[in-house]
Amino acid sequence: MTPSGNTCLTCRVKHCSILKPCSLETLAAISRFKANYGFKKGDIIIKEGQISDGVYFIKRGVVKIEKNGPNGRNFIINICGPGNIIGHRGMQGNTIQKSTVVALSEVTCCFIPVNFFNEILKNASDLEKQITEDYLCQLEQLEKKSISLAYKSVKEKVAEVILVLATIYNYEPKKQSFSIDLSRQDLADLTGATKEQVSSVLKEFERNSIIRYSGKHFYSLDIGTLKTIAEA
């Protein structure tokens, strides 16, 4: 983990984060108390069970949020990229982190220690509102994921995951491609399937011209068909 510096007032990532609607005063307060850190691929940013020490705003890179399963297999709850906030679920009276956050690529984060973050919240109703809305959004996502894991087929879940990744990696039909930082095992942990099942579905999608891929490189996605499959 390596430190660096910057300011929220000029950061382009704030326009796709919970900081977008925040006032100049709130952004200035965060800038005063934050530090920038860099993480290498595979670094553990937050570990399940550790005491919460602060919050992280992702500026660059992609991370996975996972929980340890009863059988030793990790269960990936979510994939987050630039603009997302992590670690804040331990700020509201619960000081133990409930999940582990691992860097899937080189990651740059803005870190704010928990005591400073809570002080900022006391005088920043705009940020507090955004944090609350983010909680509710994450709760809704978890509910949808629980239903997906319980009732959807592997094919539907893989289509769903591809759509999520396309959003995180800013896929655009004109650009036609993106490369993911996840392994086949990560995709399996996201869908609750096996690597073999995921690979089988990806091959089926390619045979039917729904996607094209090579290793971790995806291109020419048929977004409409993927949505139809995912929402079946």
Side-chain angles (χ1 to χ4, degrees), residues 37-74:
Y37 289 103
F39 297 89
K40 296 179 180 179
K41 180 178 180 179
D43 282 353
I44 295 177
I45 301 173
I46 296 172
K47 188 171 181 60
E48 182 177 349
Q50 76 175 18
I51 300 296
S52 301
D53 58 353
V55 300
Y56 298 81
F57 292 89
I58 303 175
K59 292 181 63 178
R60 182 174 64 89
V62 178
V63 305
K64 63 179 178 180
I65 303 176
E66 60 185 14
K67 287 188 67 69
N68 294 323
N71 58 356
R73 177 180 175 178
N74 290 330

Side-chain angles (χ1 to χ4, degrees), residues 175-194:
K175 294 182 179 179
Q176 293 193 327
S177 68
F178 63 96
S179 294
I180 65 174
D181 299 294
L182 290 81
S183 66
R184 286 289 182 272
Q185 185 59 58
D186 288 329
L187 294 178
D189 290 341
L190 265 171
T191 58
T194 65

Side-chain angles (χ1 to χ4, degrees), residues 4 15 22 25 44 67 88 105 132 141 146 156 164 173-174 176 180 190-191 194 199 204 216 229:
S4 59
H15 295 297
C22 291
E25 290 77 11
I44 295 177
K67 287 188 67 69
H88 59 305
S105 63
T132 301
Q141 289 176 347
S146 296
E156 292 165 350
V164 169
K174 290 182 180 179
Q176 293 193 327
I180 65 174
L190 265 171
T191 58
T194 65
S199 294
E204 179 185 342
K216 295 185 178 183
I229 295 172

Side-chain angles (χ1 to χ4, degrees), residues 9-219:
L9 298 172
T10 57
C11 180
R12 288 177 294 179
V13 176
K14 77 173 186 290
H15 295 297
C16 61
S17 76
I18 64 172
L19 297 181
K20 182 178 180 179
C22 291
S23 67
L24 294 178
E25 290 77 11
T26 297
L27 294 177
I30 293 173
S31 294
R32 284 197 301 271
F33 294 115
K34 76 176 181 62
N36 287 9
Y37 289 103
F39 297 89
K40 296 179 180 179
K41 180 178 180 179
D43 282 353
I44 295 177
I45 301 173
I46 296 172
K47 188 171 181 60
E48 182 177 349
Q50 76 175 18
I51 300 296
S52 301
D53 58 353
V55 300
Y56 298 81
F57 292 89
I58 303 175
K59 292 181 63 178
R60 182 174 64 89
V62 178
V63 305
K64 63 179 178 180
I65 303 176
E66 60 185 14
K67 287 188 67 69
N68 294 323
N71 58 356
R73 177 180 175 178
N74 290 330
F75 172 68
I76 297 179
I77 300 172
N78 201 4
I79 303 293
C80 296
N84 288 128
I85 179 175
I86 54 177
H88 59 305
R89 294 181 67 186
M91 300 296 100
Q92 304 296 324
N94 181 6
T95 59
I96 303 298
Q97 292 291 354
K98 298 299 185 182
S99 55
T100 295
V101 180
V102 181
L104 290 171
S105 63
E106 288 194 356
V107 173
T108 302
C109 291
C110 291
F111 172 75
I112 306 174
V114 58
N115 55 329
F116 292 132
F117 188 73
N118 286 331
E119 281 299 315
I120 292 171
L121 282 180
K122 289 179 182 178
N123 301 299
S125 58
D126 51 356
L127 179 58
E128 186 175 27
K129 178 182 178 182
Q130 293 304 308
I131 292 289
T132 301
E133 290 181 358
D134 188 72
Y135 278 137
L136 295 174
C137 181
Q138 288 189 20
L139 180 59
E140 183 180 359
Q141 289 176 347
L142 285 174
E143 289 175 345
K144 288 181 178 179
K145 189 172 183 65
S146 296
I147 293 172
S148 175
L149 289 172
Y151 298 107
K152 289 191 174 184
S153 67
V154 174
K155 184 176 180 179
E156 292 165 350
K157 288 184 285 189
V158 171
E160 198 171 57
V161 166
I162 293 174
L163 290 170
V164 169
L165 295 176
T167 299
I168 291 173
Y169 288 95
N170 298 313
Y171 171 76
E172 295 178 10
K174 290 182 180 179
K175 294 182 179 179
Q176 293 193 327
S177 68
F178 63 96
S179 294
I180 65 174
D181 299 294
L182 290 81
S183 66
R184 286 289 182 272
Q185 185 59 58
D186 288 329
L187 294 178
D189 290 341
L190 265 171
T191 58
T194 65
K195 289 189 295 184
E196 293 75 18
Q197 288 175 316
V198 170
S199 294
S200 177
V201 171
L202 291 177
K203 290 176 182 177
E204 179 185 342
F205 284 171
E206 186 165 49
R207 284 196 305 270
N208 294 327
S209 300
I210 299 171
I211 65 169
R212 295 181 66 191
Y213 75 99
S214 177
K216 295 185 178 183
H217 191 69
F218 287 74
Y219 48 103

